[in-house]
Amino acid sequence: MTTNRPVVGGDTTVVVEVLSARGRPVENLPVELSYEGAEAVHALTGATGRVQAAWAAGAAGERKVRATVRRLPTTYLGVRVPASGSRVAVAGRRTVREGTARVIVRARPQVTAIPAAQTRAAGRPFKVWLTTSGTGHATKALVRATLYGPFPSAADSSCAGEKVALSRRAMIVGDDRVRVRRISLRAGVYRWKVIRPDDAWNTARTTCTRPLRVVRR
């Protein structure tokens, strides 16, 4: 049994393959696939010995998938399922094979830098926070922020190129905000590019903030 790496808003896909002891596909065997919190799928194995099912991945977190193969001849025990959590029940010359797998539906977290899309005075130090929200699990991530600028106007600003004013980073656990060193900027328009890497529970996320204006006072 194999699964994809589902993400919130996508699908969880599971494939079960039934092979004979000689490694050949076994056709027309009834398979039940169940996904925690969803309706089970019933199907027969095809010419490739496979059955596939998909469910909507509506919320982040850990889910259990169970595959049950029925009417399996006793000579056909090559069902690809995890060794742990599997079970074989013999009934005459036929068996029932069950296997389970753990699936993690990954979240799509949000990251940003504060302040952003505000106006600050040139030459005056101000505080900066890096924030994460919507994470699927309280995992630790090294969040990196790069401030691009100064640009002459908001229309000319971007989160790319050689105009790098400074960079900051912080280790953030789950949904939180962490203050980094104060910064002081000269007049112009800036943008933060904030990056959170992916992990087992979350997808990678990159944010380019709206323009931060620094003016002479």
Side-chain angles (χ1 to χ4, degrees), residues 113-161:
I114 300 174
Q118 296 182 15
T119 301
R120 294 285 166 171
R124 292 187 180 180
F126 58 92
K127 299 175 183 178
V128 176
W129 287 266
L130 303 184
T131 73
T132 60
S133 60
T135 57
H137 199 267
T139 53
K140 184 184 295 185
L142 181 61
V143 177
R144 300 176 184 272
T146 303
L147 186 64
Y148 288 86
F151 298 97
S153 67
D156 295 320
S157 64
S158 71
C159 288

Side-chain angles (χ1 to χ4, degrees), residues 23-41:
R24 297 174 181 173
V26 183
E27 293 186 67
N28 297 317
L29 289 181
V31 178
E32 178 183 320
L33 289 170
S34 60
Y35 179 71
E36 189 176 346
E39 186 175 350
V41 172

